[in-house]
Amino acid sequence: MSDVQTPLQATLKVAAMGDLHVREDNAESYRDLFGEISREADVLVLAGDLTDLGKPKEAELLAQDLKACSIPVVGVLGNHDYECGAQEEVSQILRDAGMKLLDGQSVEIDGVGFVGVKGFAGGFGRRMLGYFGEPAMKQFVNETMNETLRLENAMRQVRAKRSMVILHYAPVTDTIESEPLEIYPFLGSSRLAETIDRFKVNAIVHGHAHRGRFEGRTPGGQPVYNVAKHIEKPTGKPYAILEI
Ligand SMILES: [Fe+2]
Ligand SMILES: [Fe+2]
């Protein structure tokens, strides 16, 4: 019998934030915050709406600020990053800046599998939008279904024991509470949570709902965090720190 002990698995400190909405006028620089985060955490997760209007110029400003980040950066785009139809260019600028931008893929960093997809809207529970009626309605539901299938494929790729899912849209209503009820169907879809609950994950983060609650759970009991920068977090900062 060997007396060599297996070391306890160290946790990864993940800083997570969404909805940076970087604007062309560069009204808010993230340089100092990224520097601070690099001292506080091992990985930075960005949960979409990285730019305000999806302009390449906005992505370039964010890319400049990301130079202050000395830890790996992984994340997804949000709906705002699609606004100008320049999402490919925006993605390339961020990838060139070293960000691991996920769109239905996974990446492993220090023993943790990160899965990322933007997600889409469609509503929650029994009230979610069904595949019925006009072609435009069916197309809407198809978009949600496509995102959930891409999420599922990405989750199947994960080999690590610990994992984190990064979304832009919300998978549950817990974390969008205090947004107006009328817009819930546009804030996310529980089809995302149904897919995630077929797997075991350590945390799910999302943004998109600027008003809402930090912490919630999927129907299967897995922890969900709304990390939009506007949400009040235990850190008292615009970013959350999650130990994975
Ligand atoms: Fe946003
Ligand atoms: Fe958004």
Side-chain angles (χ1 to χ4, degrees), residues 53-207:
L53 295 171
K55 293 181 177 179
K57 175 79 173 105
E58 295 171 334
E60 277 162 17
L61 289 168
L62 177 57
Q64 283 297 321
D65 285 352
L66 281 171
K67 286 183 184 163
C69 205
S70 56
I71 55 175
V73 183
V74 53
V76 298
L77 293 184
N79 57 317
H80 278 247
D81 303 310
Y82 280 71
E83 170 57 16
C84 284
Q87 59 275 12
E88 295 301 329
E89 203 180 331
V90 164
S91 299
Q92 197 53 52
I93 292 164
L94 296 174
R95 287 196 172 108
D96 288 347
M99 180 175 173
K100 295 174 207 309
L101 195 62
L102 302 176
D103 183 17
Q105 301 93 16
S106 69
V107 64
E108 189 171 326
I109 303 170
D110 290 339
V112 175
F114 292 86
V115 172
V117 71
K118 174 177 61 62
F120 196 58
F124 299 91
R126 289 188 55 212
R127 308 290 184 192
M128 74 169 87
L129 188 61
Y131 192 79
F132 183 86
E134 302 93 320
M137 278 298 189
K138 289 178 174 169
Q139 205 181 335
F140 191 97
V141 176
N142 266 334
E143 184 68 16
T144 316
M145 296 303 296
N146 280 339
E147 287 291 288
T148 59
L149 288 171
R150 281 158 16 86
L151 171 61
E152 182 183 305
N153 282 342
M155 296 194 74
R156 286 189 198 287
Q157 293 165 15
V158 175
R159 293 288 167 265
K161 286 210 168 65
R162 294 173 290 152
S163 61
M164 182 173 189
V165 176
I166 311 164
L167 304 168
H168 180 61
Y169 284 85
V172 295
T173 55
D174 288 4
T175 48
I176 62 173
E177 272 173 20
S178 67
E179 286 280 10
L181 266 178
E182 291 85 346
I183 66 165
Y184 271 31
F186 310 116
L187 295 177
S189 164
S190 43
R191 293 183 199 273
L192 297 163
E194 285 168 11
T195 300
I196 294 165
D197 273 345
R198 274 183 262 133
F199 301 84
K200 170 87 187 74
V201 299
N202 294 76
I204 303 138
V205 295
H206 72 87

